[in-house]
Amino acid sequence: MKRLLELLGFLALVQGVLGLLHEFTHWHVGLVQRLGFLDGYGVYASVALLVLAVALFAAAESRKSG
């Protein structure tokens, strides 16, 4: 379970960073810019993904190994 939380946290972290990179540099990277219902809310969605990543890493850290 710890490994799954770490993997999900890593994916959320990467997608959050790529979403912010897209918003500020207009490079076409990441999943956030491809979701139509998030038009105009890319920065908020990316920051939410970063917060989710931190929460998932904290949850993974509180779990026992295994």
Side-chain angles (χ1 to χ4, degrees):
M1 186 66 160
K2 181 177 180 175
R3 300 287 268 167
L4 177 64
L5 289 172
E6 289 174 344
L7 175 68
L8 292 174
F10 176 75
L11 291 175
L13 178 71
V14 168
Q15 289 302 315
V17 168
L18 289 176
L20 288 176
L21 188 66
H22 168 73
E23 289 297 322
F24 295 120
T25 64
H26 300 291
W27 289 356
H28 296 290
V29 293
L31 183 66
V32 172
Q33 61 112 4
R34 288 181 168 78
L35 298 175
F37 63 90
L38 291 176
D39 283 345
Y41 298 103
V43 173
Y44 301 115
S46 298
V47 170
L49 280 170
L50 292 175
V51 171
L52 176 64
V54 170
L56 286 169
F57 286 137
E61 196 63 32
S62 70
R63 301 291 255 171
K64 294 179 189 164
S65 249

